[in-house]
Amino acid sequence: MSTARRAGYRDVKQTILTRVRDKTWPLGTVLPGEVALAAEFGCARATINRAMRELADEGVLDRKRRAGTTVLASPLRHAKVAVPSVRAEIEATGATYRYSLVSRAEQPAPDWLRARLSLAPKAEVVHLRCMHYADNAPYQFEDRWIVLDTVPTALNESFETIGPNDWLISEMPLTDIELVFSAALAGTDYAAFLDVAPESPVFQVERCTWLNGNAVTLARMTHPGSHRLRTAL
Amino acid sequence: MSTARRAGYRDVKQTILTRVRDKTWPLGTVLPGEVALAAEFGCARATINRAMRELADEGVLDRKRRAGTTVLASPLRHAKVAVPSVRAEIEATGATYRYSLVSRAEQPAPDWLRARLSLAPKAEVVHLRCMHYADNAPYQFEDRWIVLDTVPTALNESFETIGPNDWLISEMPLTDIELVFSAALAGTDYAAFLDVAPESPVFQVERCTWLNGNAVTLARMTHPGSHRLRTAL
DNA sequence: ATATTCATTATGTCTATACATATTAACCAT
DNA sequence: ATGGTTAATATGTATAGACATAATGAATAT
């Protein structure tokens, strides 16, 4: 009558999750060991192991050798933020993407940037300013600094037809990303590029990327305040 | 001479990652099958499987039955955003946390909220307005709506000493979260609470949470524009 | 009391094997 | 050509058994 196939790791995960959610196993509970659960579910220890390991990866459980598996405090502490390239972000909405280079300069890294990225005193960077349009409406103004010590090939690239983000993705491996979100006022500079009033709010995302501890690039991306970064999980 | 223990799944992961990064296996490459790699690394197929599966989970590889495993475009598409409670967020910086309830009202859900959370026409909500201080300086103004159909116990809670977020965490399980980040102007209302000028920018995070498809609560959290939400991966 | 040693225990990882399942490519009939 | 059937194939999942490793707590020595 029932569809009871043997329990797979998904079934086990689901059941454990339910028991955590309905407080059958409240906060801090140490769950039965893998062998015990394997007996209960009638499956192999490896199956229980995978279920519990994945729940631990997802932040639901905490596992320690010898100590056993415990229920963690807040089941949902983390959300994933998609970090698509602007192009992908725009094209995903069905709009037409257009890129335009505003300026390009090779220069010594300004002090604030050296401090921010822990650069050497005489580090050189390429500073780009770019615009990204969605259906010809201003979508994002991008201030981009690329560290030449880490990415020397940036010297030979004009960035007139390809955006720095798309170029870097195809050119450079990355190991770390740091994101900072904040709000600011448009001011005269951004206002002109984004076609909004200087006293209107703008939404900024700063993205630093690193390769094995060496700074690769810093991007400061500015959107009209009406822009919304949506994410789920 | 070499420390060559038998390759574990971590070693396999590392080696594959290196080959992806140094373009030994460029974008779109279909990697050798699991059996072939198992032979190369001198380990069992399950070991290769785990390594590749985890890399797929991390967004480096794409796996399809029969089609094989391919190298994905952007090695870092997702970042995790920590969603701590305000209290934890403030106390993590070493500052003293203070909470204060501004207002509390039980009312029918306004139209925009009903639409936003897909509520029934006659749904009732508790609307709270709260302030969170770090070292007695305004840190966050919180507009909070709690859906009474889903959380009836909110009726009996005054929220005068405990913030709605802390209360909900201890009270309710959650299954889904949606976050929206944006920028806005303070305006007279927020300005007074956050102690900033009305024409200054504010940073807003809207958080909807759900339990099995039923809306639990919506929080609109407003910070002074200088606030920075930092995240890494 | 304090430190050291050591057995115990739960998880961590690997192996070899088996069967399931999605997808493609080749084949065949129309 | 077109459409449907089928076999081959790579991954997906499960199994039992084995050994590794970290953490605990008890027993022991200082």
Side-chain angles (χ1 to χ4, degrees):
Chain A
M1 42 175 167
S2 89
T3 56
R5 304 171 1 257
R6 189 163 43 248
Y9 83 97
R10 291 160 179 282
D11 308 297
V12 176
K13 262 181 85 169
Q14 191 50 55
T15 303
I16 292 179
L17 202 51
T18 303
R19 290 186 190 171
V20 168
R21 292 222 235 261
D22 69 14
K23 316 266 187 198
T24 303
W25 288 330
L27 280 193
T29 309
V30 307
L31 313 204
E34 297 186 348
V35 284
L37 287 177
E40 181 197 332
F41 285 94
C43 61
R45 186 169 79 93
T47 305
I48 302 291
N49 182 286
R50 177 158 179 194
M52 297 219 282
R53 177 158 38 84
E54 292 197 357
L55 285 170
D57 286 344
E58 290 161 24
V60 177
L61 303 176
D62 182 47
R63 317 196 75 201
K64 279 214 283 270
R65 280 181 179 166
R66 161 75 214 210
T69 303
T70 58
V71 179
L72 269 185
S74 67
L76 277 179
R77 291 187 99 103
H78 285 59
K80 277 188 209 140
V81 171
V83 187
S85 74
V86 211
R87 149 177 265 124
E89 194 176 331
I90 289 175
E91 287 174 344
T93 70
T96 318
Y97 171 74
R98 187 162 69 80
Y99 162 78
S100 159
L101 179 65
V102 174
S103 71
R104 180 189 193 285
E106 291 150 25
Q107 57 188 221
D111 290 340
W112 66 267
L113 185 64
R114 290 217 333 268
R116 187 94 163 67
L117 299 179
S118 318
L119 298 178
K122 49 170 196 54
E124 292 273 323
V125 296
V126 174
H127 177 205
L128 303 166
R129 298 195 305 156
C130 329
M131 275 300 300
H132 303 269
Y133 300 87
D135 281 340
N136 282 321
Y139 181 84
Q140 177 191 97
F141 179 81
E142 174 180 3
D143 254 308
R144 166 79 65 165
W145 292 267
I146 302 176
V147 180
L148 284 171
D149 284 337
T150 320
V151 198
T153 49
L155 262 181
N156 310 318
E157 175 60 50
S158 73
F159 296 104
E160 274 166 17
T161 58
I162 185 175
N165 194 50
D166 288 342
W167 182 80
L168 280 163
I169 281 179
S170 69
E171 195 78 2
M172 285 294 296
L174 300 172
T175 55
D176 300 281
I177 289 190
E178 185 194 348
L179 293 171
V180 177
F181 306 94
S182 60
L185 285 185
T188 51
D189 212 30
Y190 292 138
F193 283 112
L194 295 176
D195 197 19
V196 296
E199 62 275 8
S200 63
V202 293
F203 177 67
Q204 290 190 316
V205 182
E206 230 174 67
R207 185 181 353 177
C208 300
T209 59
W210 312 74
L211 171 61
N212 303 324
N214 298 113
V216 172
T217 180
L218 183 146
R220 181 177 299 151
M221 296 161 287
T222 306
H223 297 86
S226 56
H227 176 73
R228 301 189 153 242
L229 176 61
R230 168 171 284 111
T231 183
L233 173 104
Chain B
M1 40 180 165
S2 89
T3 56
R5 303 169 3 256
R6 190 168 37 248
Y9 82 99
R10 290 160 180 281
D11 307 296
V12 176
K13 261 181 87 168
Q14 191 49 55
T15 304
I16 293 178
L17 202 50
T18 303
R19 290 188 190 168
V20 168
R21 292 222 233 259
D22 69 14
K23 316 268 186 196
T24 302
W25 289 330
L27 278 192
T29 309
V30 308
L31 315 203
E34 296 187 346
V35 284
L37 287 176
E40 181 198 331
F41 284 94
C43 62
R45 184 170 80 94
T47 304
I48 302 291
N49 182 285
R50 176 158 179 195
M52 298 219 281
R53 178 158 38 84
E54 291 197 359
L55 285 171
D57 286 343
E58 290 162 22
V60 176
L61 302 177
D62 182 48
R63 316 197 76 201
K64 279 215 284 268
R65 282 184 180 168
R66 161 75 215 209
T69 303
T70 57
V71 180
L72 268 186
S74 59
L76 279 178
R77 300 171 72 132
H78 288 338
K80 275 186 208 137
V81 171
V83 187
S85 75
V86 210
R87 152 177 263 124
E89 195 176 332
I90 289 176
E91 286 173 346
T93 71
T96 319
Y97 170 75
R98 187 162 70 79
Y99 162 78
S100 161
L101 179 65
V102 174
S103 71
R104 180 190 193 285
E106 290 150 28
Q107 56 187 222
D111 290 341
W112 66 267
L113 185 64
R114 290 215 335 267
R116 188 95 163 66
L117 300 179
S118 318
L119 299 178
K122 49 174 194 53
E124 292 274 322
V125 295
V126 174
H127 177 205
L128 303 166
R129 298 195 304 155
C130 328
M131 275 300 300
H132 304 270
Y133 300 88
D135 281 341
N136 282 321
Y139 181 83
Q140 177 190 100
F141 179 82
E142 174 180 1
D143 255 307
R144 165 80 64 166
W145 292 265
I146 302 176
V147 180
L148 284 172
D149 284 336
T150 320
V151 200
T153 49
L155 263 181
N156 310 318
E157 175 61 49
S158 73
F159 295 105
E160 273 167 17
T161 58
I162 186 175
N165 194 52
D166 289 341
W167 182 80
L168 281 163
I169 282 180
S170 69
E171 196 78 2
M172 286 292 296
L174 300 172
T175 54
D176 300 281
I177 289 189
E178 185 193 347
L179 294 170
V180 177
F181 305 95
S182 60
L185 285 185
T188 51
D189 211 31
Y190 293 139
F193 284 111
L194 295 176
D195 196 19
V196 295
E199 62 276 7
S200 63
V202 292
F203 177 66
Q204 290 190 317
V205 182
E206 230 174 67
R207 188 189 332 178
C208 301
T209 60
W210 313 74
L211 171 61
N212 302 325
N214 299 112
V216 171
T217 180
L218 182 146
R220 181 178 298 150
M221 296 161 286
T222 307
H223 297 86
S226 56
H227 176 73
R228 302 191 150 239
L229 174 64
R230 169 171 283 111
T231 183
L233 171 109

